[in-house]
Amino acid sequence: MVDRLEENMGKYPFITLTQVKDYLSISSTTADARLANIISYATGMVEHYIGQEVLANDYVEVFDGGKSSVMISRLPLSNVYQVTEFDGTQDKILADPSTIGRPNSTDSDEMSIIFKNDAHINGKIKKFGQSSLELDKDDFLVSGNVPEQLKFEEGDFTIEMFIRVDVPTIQDNVLFAINTDASNYMQFRLSNANGLAFESNISGTSTIVTAPNVLIEAQQFAKRRWAHVAVSRKLDDEKLYLFYNGNVISNASNVYAVSNHTFTSNIEIGTNFQGYIDEVRVSDTARYTANFTTPTKRFRPDQDTVTLIHFDGKNGTTEANDVHNAVNDYNFSRDMGEVTRDTGSVGVRGNYPTVSHNYPSMTLSGPPGFMPFPSGVKIEYRAGYESSDIPQDLQMATLDVIKLIYKQDQEKKGFSFEGERSEKNSLSGGFPQHIRRTLDLYRIQ
């Protein structure tokens, strides 16, 4: 949260002990404890002056509605995870733009989704968002169409989702399948013997990749625990990787030379699966080829996403949508930190909806705005600099502050660098001029 910002100043130092010791030419460990305290103090000083944390972090802010746009407090804005709007009855999760704030491309088809038997949305149990898909043994989802972007041919792909198994022993069942007929299909599935498996069957010739450890079922898929599972195909390596919670569990020595993954009849999700599924995403690239950190936020559309299903809806309903190319309900500007209510054909600064013109059209209602409820807009986002992207001038200025404190020059009227004969800079008014000049570039006025 950002309403208690002061508590975080200096809490996440953006300068490391190694950097400081290298800058001060210190090789011993005698002063490490003192330096660590100075680093926290100095980075806190800098953050207080510029008015924001430097290191990237996740935040949640709440705004009053009735406006066409709101400005988040932290900069630079990296990504908006989710915008929730109160509509007078309930909180509604708005349809997302791309991960860089642009409207989604609509040049691909969405996958139709039909609930079979007692498959339904469960609003009480979910991994992210409002709800998840609940399935029992005879329940599943089916799509009567196979969108063109899911006919992978000889390309790379990734299929991933969060699952929660609700039976003591996992069964052999399908998580995601694309079929042509009984002799031509691809299946990403749970395996009673191996935990996860992927099978391609082309003209009756089957190629199967499984985890090599037959005890993998006992080690994973704890009952009623959410797990992220994924299969990723990398054509250049002729490999297919299986992942459980970010860890590679397929046999890396398996050569997977299957070329054409184009199937045309239908798609099935969760056939004979007993439990819950959330956040199904299919990509036309190999997102994972080594161990990775399990996603901690719901998936967002990007240029590689060809299917995305959040399973957000009212409890007990039987409707879900593929939103990888959905008309977005908001946009955001990463440089300005502005989040704008949108209806798909509206720019960040408010080009009113029109599909026949490229200029703002006249309207009596004006640009779309958030619903006019107090504290009705909640924005979850990430802002700040990642550790590898902190500007060099900001780091140098902070290192100079640390040098002043370490050498105990901060109480003197002025200071000069060793070997310099220039006029000393007064410290009585705050930071020396060369430091202040840099910090002013990052200051939130």
Side-chain angles (χ1 to χ4, degrees):
M1 299 291 286
V2 296
D3 54 350
R4 307 187 71 176
L5 177 64
E6 299 297 320
E7 295 180 357
N8 286 337
M9 295 299 190
K11 186 176 181 179
Y12 307 104
F14 54 91
I15 297 294
T16 67
L17 180 62
T18 300
Q19 285 178 291
V20 172
K21 293 178 70 172
D22 181 66
Y23 188 65
L24 298 178
S25 299
I26 298 174
S27 57
S28 71
T29 59
T30 305
D32 282 6
R34 180 180 172 223
L35 285 172
N37 288 331
I38 292 174
I39 290 172
S40 295
Y41 178 72
T43 53
M45 284 177 58
V46 169
E47 289 180 333
H48 275 286
Y49 182 77
I50 67 176
Q52 63 178 341
E53 295 176 61
V54 172
L55 276 183
N57 215 329
D58 293 339
Y59 301 95
V60 177
E61 282 193 77
V62 177
F63 301 88
D64 290 338
K67 308 169 186 176
S68 62
S69 65
V70 295
M71 307 293 291
I72 56 97
S73 300
R74 305 268 51 85
L75 291 174
L77 175 61
S78 300
N79 195 6
V80 176
Y81 296 129
Q82 180 174 295
V83 175
T84 305
E85 179 186 54
F86 183 68
D87 64 4
T89 304
Q90 62 179 348
D91 289 317
K92 176 186 176 184
I93 298 177
L94 300 185
D96 303 302
S98 74
T99 52
I100 60 172
R102 295 178 53 192
N104 297 317
S105 172
T106 58
D107 62 351
S108 59
D109 297 328
E110 66 180 59
M111 185 179 76
S112 62
I113 302 172
I114 302 171
F115 285 62
K116 292 293 187 178
N117 300 325
D118 193 35
H120 62 273
I121 297 298
N122 188 308
K124 298 179 180 179
I125 298 175
K126 71 269 189 182
K127 179 63 179 178
F128 298 115
Q130 296 176 325
S131 51
S132 68
L133 171 67
E134 182 178 358
L135 299 168
D136 208 342
K137 185 175 181 179
D138 296 323
D139 306 332
F140 63 100
L141 303 186
V142 65
S143 173
N145 69 317
V146 179
E148 193 66 29
Q149 65 270 16
L150 291 182
K151 298 173 183 177
F152 298 115
E153 298 181 354
E154 296 184 359
D156 298 340
F157 63 85
T158 301
I159 303 169
E160 59 186 314
M161 65 189 72
F162 288 87
I163 65 172
R164 198 185 96 159
V165 178
D166 268 21
V167 291
T169 303
I170 64 172
Q171 307 298 313
D172 293 313
N173 46 57
V174 171
L175 296 175
F176 192 98
I178 308 178
N179 310 297
T180 296
D181 52 41
S183 299
N184 294 275
Y185 58 83
M186 58 184 282
Q187 291 183 348
F188 177 38
R189 63 179 186 244
L190 289 180
S191 168
N192 179 264
N194 301 94
L196 286 175
F198 182 87
E199 178 181 359
S200 289
N201 197 311
I202 300 176
S203 298
T205 300
S206 178
T207 302
I208 302 176
V209 174
T210 64
N213 183 1
V214 296
L215 298 178
I216 205 163
E217 179 203 356
Q219 298 169 0
Q220 302 171 357
F221 305 107
K223 185 178 180 181
R224 297 190 176 93
R225 300 288 179 88
W226 284 102
H228 177 265
V229 295
V231 56
S232 190
R233 195 286 169 86
K234 183 68 172 176
L235 180 66
D236 291 346
D237 301 337
E238 289 197 330
K239 294 288 182 66
L240 188 136
Y241 303 87
L242 297 170
F243 296 89
Y244 172 83
N245 277 343
N247 298 309
V248 178
I249 61 172
S250 56
N251 191 336
S253 64
N254 283 346
V255 175
Y256 186 82
V258 177
S259 57
N260 195 338
H261 289 91
T262 295
F263 306 98
T264 59
S265 292
N266 63 70
I267 298 168
E268 294 182 13
I269 298 176
T271 307
N272 292 326
F273 177 78
Q274 294 174 268
Y276 300 84
I277 296 177
D278 205 356
E279 294 294 308
V280 173
R281 180 171 69 172
V282 183
S283 310
D284 60 3
T285 186
R287 288 188 184 269
Y288 316 117
T289 57
N291 291 350
F292 61 92
T293 301
T294 303
T296 57
K297 300 292 183 180
R298 72 191 191 113
F299 295 131
R300 297 280 313 288
D302 61 22
Q303 63 181 4
D304 299 319
T305 304
V306 294
T307 295
L308 177 58
I309 310 170
H310 292 305
F311 295 112
D312 286 335
K314 292 184 178 180
N315 190 52
T317 57
T318 56
E319 182 180 357
N321 296 308
D322 172 12
V323 298
H324 83 279
N325 62 347
V327 175
N328 51 287
D329 288 329
Y330 70 94
N331 281 326
F332 61 89
S333 170
R334 301 171 73 183
D335 292 334
M336 298 176 59
E338 183 178 23
V339 180
T340 303
R341 188 65 165 92
D342 201 351
T343 55
S345 298
V346 184
V348 171
R349 297 298 298 170
N351 296 326
Y352 305 158
T354 174
V355 295
S356 60
H357 307 292
N358 59 7
Y359 53 84
S361 60
M362 298 296 292
T363 173
L364 296 177
S365 60
F370 293 104
M371 297 290 285
F373 293 97
S375 301
V377 181
K378 183 173 73 172
I379 299 177
E380 301 175 36
Y381 66 95
R382 185 170 185 82
Y385 296 101
E386 301 297 338
S387 57
S388 59
D389 298 326
I390 299 173
Q392 292 293 317
D393 58 348
L394 183 58
Q395 293 186 62
M396 183 60 69
T398 307
L399 286 168
D400 278 349
V401 174
I402 292 171
K403 180 178 180 179
L404 291 177
I405 299 172
Y406 177 73
K407 291 183 175 295
Q408 298 184 354
D409 287 336
Q410 71 273 18
E411 298 298 333
K412 298 178 182 179
K413 182 178 180 180
F415 85 99
S416 62
F417 292 115
E418 183 178 353
E420 290 184 348
R421 294 295 181 266
S422 59
E423 182 180 352
K424 295 182 178 181
N425 297 302
S426 174
L427 293 180
S428 59
F431 294 110
Q433 294 175 6
H434 74 290
I435 296 177
R436 181 189 294 272
R437 184 165 53 249
T438 298
L439 297 186
D440 281 345
L441 298 175
Y442 299 92
R443 194 173 190 186
I444 302 296
Q445 302 295 335

